[in-house]
Amino acid sequence: DSALSKQVNLLNEGIDRFKKAGNKRFEGDLRLLSYQLRGDKANPAELFQIGLPYYQAGDFERADSVFKAYATAFPDSVYGYLW
């Protein structure tokens, strides 16, 4: 768990840097990688925060895939369907 924690912390630093630099595509990539690394420990609600940078970067296919996963996890939420 400590190795995973270190990896997630490193990814979070990268997320912050890419977010500040305005590089939405890499921000989304690192958010997705962090989510995947944590597996069952990851919160599906994070999928919205993963899809949004992809959408903002113009990567609509990837954003759509992530938002579909969000909509599947939260079928009563309108956010996955609207994005």
Side-chain angles (χ1 to χ4, degrees):
D1 266 342
S2 68
L4 176 61
S5 179
K6 288 178 184 178
Q7 290 173 334
V8 170
N9 287 337
L10 185 61
L11 286 171
N12 286 337
E13 288 177 21
I15 290 166
D16 289 340
R17 287 184 184 178
F18 283 120
K19 185 175 183 176
K20 287 177 185 173
N23 192 328
K24 298 296 185 180
R25 172 62 194 241
F26 284 119
E27 177 191 348
D29 287 345
L30 292 183
R31 285 183 185 276
L32 182 59
L33 183 57
S34 174
Y35 182 83
Q36 291 170 335
L37 275 175
R38 288 178 283 127
D40 292 340
K41 295 178 184 178
N43 182 351
E46 293 175 51
L47 290 167
F48 185 80
Q49 295 302 323
I50 296 168
L52 192 58
Y54 284 132
Y55 179 85
Q56 292 169 332
D59 190 347
F60 302 120
E61 285 185 37
R62 189 167 289 201
D64 186 56
S65 296
V66 175
F67 289 136
K68 282 181 183 176
Y70 178 87
T72 300
F74 298 99
D76 294 333
S77 174
V78 297
Y79 294 111
Y81 299 105
L82 291 177
W83 286 89

